[in-house]
Amino acid sequence: MGVTTLARGIVRGIAHRADGAPPLTPDGDEGREWAETELSDPVYDIAEPTPFDRIARAIGDFIASLLSPDVSGGWASAFAVVAAIVVVGVIVAAFLVWGMPRATRRAARSAPLLFGESEHRSASELRAAAATHARAGEWEAAVVLRFRALARGCLERGVVDPPPGATVHAFARAAAGVFPQQAARLEKAAVAFDDVRYLRRPGTAELYRLVADVDDAVAAARPAAREPQEAIS
């Protein structure tokens, strides 16, 4: 409620109280009493600024004072520099507390799904599980788990980020863009995964060794591109 509206309300209230009474001109004390009586009406409480209004006004006044031409000499520039330093400090503190947006998105995208199936284990855990199956001669499971370890390792490093619906061949192509020297072997490893996982072909020690060697080579290699692949089709 603005000042003009408030004043009009007071006048209407006083006029309403004067209805039916003979016209008169109050003296100073009587007029003040009428105004105080009218302002005691709860309807005028909403005209009072809220704490948020006061804070917002104080911030606005502070910023306006920094830009005011009334500030003498070089103080305006000094105040502006101080304000800019404070703003930058707040932004840096926010990054330190909540992290960079890219890192946050990457952590959110570390979904349990891997090639369409639920998988919560880390790359090292998947490698250990694959080795256990290999020692038992369970080559199909060993091949599948070692290829998933390869993909999860790239995801953990942030160099290749396959979405939940990505195929092994799509992942192999994306990884080849980051590790071009391993392109042919990555594709062969994807074929081995498809053969034993989807085509139900028997796994072998040679296929497991192929996938394990590619995983080891990729884990030890330095990526050619630092930016993670946002989309793999």
Side-chain angles (χ1 to χ4, degrees):
M1 180 182 296
V3 175
T4 302
T5 305
L6 177 61
R8 290 174 179 172
I10 295 173
V11 172
R12 283 198 299 269
I14 294 174
H16 177 71
R17 285 171 170 76
D19 286 346
L24 53 86
T25 301
D27 57 23
D29 292 338
E30 194 172 17
R32 182 170 56 257
E33 181 181 354
W34 286 6
E36 290 174 352
T37 301
E38 179 63 26
L39 286 174
S40 66
D41 193 326
V43 72
Y44 295 110
D45 290 344
I46 61 175
E48 292 294 323
T50 65
F52 179 80
D53 294 333
R54 294 189 180 96
I55 293 173
R57 180 176 298 176
I59 294 174
D61 292 343
F62 173 72
I63 295 174
S65 68
L66 295 180
L67 304 177
S68 174
D70 296 335
V71 180
S72 61
W75 286 106
S77 299
F79 285 152
V81 170
V82 171
I85 293 174
V86 171
V87 171
V88 171
V90 170
I91 294 174
V92 171
F95 281 145
L96 292 177
V97 173
W98 291 290
M100 295 292 290
R102 180 180 297 278
T104 303
R105 290 196 302 271
R106 185 179 300 166
R109 291 190 60 182
S110 298
L113 288 179
L114 192 60
F115 303 126
E117 296 186 10
S118 178
E119 182 55 78
H120 297 267
R121 287 172 288 185
S122 66
S124 60
E125 290 172 336
L126 288 167
R127 292 183 184 112
T132 299
H133 284 289
R135 286 193 295 269
E138 299 167 349
W139 300 115
E140 291 83 1
V143 169
V144 169
L145 289 174
R146 194 57 188 260
F147 191 90
R148 287 178 177 164
L150 166 63
R152 181 53 54 84
C154 290
L155 176 63
E156 291 172 353
R157 295 171 66 185
V159 292
V160 181
D161 194 353
T167 65
V168 292
H169 293 281
F171 163 77
R173 289 192 297 270
V178 183
F179 304 100
Q181 293 181 345
Q182 302 298 327
R185 296 169 66 183
L186 281 164
E187 182 58 30
K188 289 180 180 179
V191 171
F193 179 95
D194 269 348
D195 284 349
V196 301
R197 179 67 181 84
Y198 299 114
L199 300 181
R200 302 299 181 182
R201 292 175 179 172
T204 63
E206 289 74 21
L207 289 177
Y208 173 73
R209 179 47 51 195
L210 167 66
V211 178
D213 287 345
V214 176
D215 182 24
D216 291 339
V218 167
R222 188 171 184 173
R226 289 293 182 183
E227 290 297 320
Q229 306 297 314
E230 294 295 338
I232 305 175
S233 57

